[in-house]
Amino acid sequence: MKTIKKINKYLVEHYPLIWNTKLVWMLAFAIIVHFTFFIAGFLSVNTQRDVSSHYNLEGFYYDSPAFLIGVLTSIISLLIWIIFYLKNNAFKNFYPLKKGTLFIQFCILFLIFFTNITHYYSYKKGVTSKIKTLYNWNEIDTDIKKFNNAAIFFLKNRTNYEIEEKDYPDPFPLEVVSAKREDYLGITIDTTRAFIKHNDEYYQFFKINHELIAEDVKNNVFADEGIYDEDSYVENSQPFKYRIVYDISSYKELITPNLYNFSREFISYGQDSTDRKDRLIYYQKLLDKKDENVLRNKLDEFYNLAKQYNVKHNIKKEDWLYLLNFKNDYQYIINIKDRKALNYDLDKLKLNYYRTKKRIDTVLIPNTSHKKDQIYYSQFPKTSDGKSVLIEKEYHEYFGYVPYCDFSGLNTFFKNVYYTFHPTFDSVSLYVFIVLSIVFSLLIFLFKTTDIRNILLSVVAAGVVLIFGILLIFIADRYLGFNSKIGILIALILNILIVILSVLALLNKWRKGLVSILFSLAQFAIPLIILLAVIYYKELLGYPHRNNDPFLMWYDLYGFWFTIIIWIISIYFYCKAIRKWRAWTE
């Protein structure tokens, strides 16, 4: 306590503004709280299950009790600080203040608010620091590639194995159209160029000639029809014009879903186009070998990987090899389930998983004189006694279970680890914290420089302006027809009027209370003016010009900081004006 008193005595004598705002103690408290949240975040992650327990790194804070604790800590600490801060007010008591003191005081308020509401960053840093101690990115990246290489065996979705998904080798990937009847030929399929008939259905494979489309766009070929996108051009009255057709007769058998068509990336984090190309080449070489031992070894590698990453599954190797169907050129048989089947589905689903086998049955030749029966049984070999025949029949050998492989949480795990080692700037949360800090600081600062009565009257005035604006929009909607531009323009004009009136009130020395109310409203109207002006400008441009407008492109990048700077500058001028206002008589 003696040390605290000594520090306070020194501050009040040498740095009264720092003493009055309790900056030293609030920063010290903020540092302690931030360190506590860092430790809490560090201890919250210990296993792979912990890392994958939240969809993203932000969820470790916002989807846990840490968020509520952080909010309550901020509220309690800031309320206690405000009580002590408002005890002394040199401005209201006409103590001599140096130029710039008021603005510096606002900056200190902002710093106190910002450091006491941003526990999220410390907690997240604790989480990512712990993840870095548990995992090595190079090892994780290697394992992601192993999972991607094994993904061709997962048999998760039949559509992933259709020929539309094939990306390798050239000329794939290709688009495809089909027709089930001959009378559709010439409508969906260009019969003057290569097409394929497979299983009583017709197919044509092609790529879109985007260069020709661009040329037609440039020449306004379809301008009269009001078409603005490539898809619409392709679906126009001359769709064949934009097709670059390929003859893929050598891949005809792949029209039926097949492992050769699989090109999907299972885990994308940290993988680039080179990794993707290498993976597709790997698939091709692996399947071309058609070696059962190679496939067994690859499945063993996956079993080890699944054990390492707690991937739950029940697939027996022999059953999995059968489903890969390498003896029948890898034609797709059936999906492996994403998760364990529920009991009420179990018996029904079991019937879908079986091997088709053949066996020899001994069938007694019936005493019959029918010629058809005689012809039928004559094609089978007879037993030694001549009374029976040996008939080969197909039967189903059921797996007896529903195979599944549950990857739930694995993608989230790799995502959280990836963004731990390759963090992105969380601009949204930073913007929110900055705006909240300015708003709270400004409210306290306005109370410090005026009084609670004027603050409450400012709130009432803001409500009146809002009601008036809504009435104007309602009238415009009733008599002019609703247009979003009108609503934005009305809001923009009202905010501009507030700022203009506040300046006129100060220059003409209107009633002191009225000036205080107008200036309080103006401090919140200024950033709204910038935002509404940009939105109104965007609406005036319309689509598609707004997407290429240089100013809007610049504003998307720097607009937030531009608005904040203008807002801070307006607060600086408010601090200068309020000194003159304070000297007026009531």
Side-chain angles (χ1 to χ4, degrees), residues 153-156 315 320 323 334-338 403-405:
F153 303 137
F154 296 162
L155 308 179
K156 287 295 179 185
I315 314 176
W320 203 346
L323 293 179
I334 194 170
N335 294 344
I336 291 175
K337 297 299 180 183
D338 289 327
Y404 78 92
C405 193

Side-chain angles (χ1 to χ4, degrees), residues 160-169 171-174 251 254 259-263 276 280 284:
N160 292 340
Y161 296 84
E162 293 179 351
I163 197 166
E164 292 94 325
E165 297 294 318
K166 188 172 179 61
D167 284 352
Y168 182 86
F172 294 98
L174 296 172
Y251 296 97
L254 299 185
L259 266 64
Y260 272 108
N261 297 330
F262 185 82
S263 301
R276 184 175 184 276
L280 296 178
Q284 187 76 29

Side-chain angles (χ1 to χ4, degrees), residues 28 66 80 110 121 144 179 204 247 257 264 270 285 308 349 351 391 394 397 490 564 569 571:
I80 294 173
F110 172 82
Y121 294 114
I144 288 176
Q204 188 163 66
D247 183 358
R264 287 293 182 96
K285 291 180 177 179
Q308 178 183 344
L349 290 173
L351 300 177
I391 298 178
E394 288 187 349
E397 182 183 84
I490 290 172
I564 293 298
I569 290 173
I571 294 172

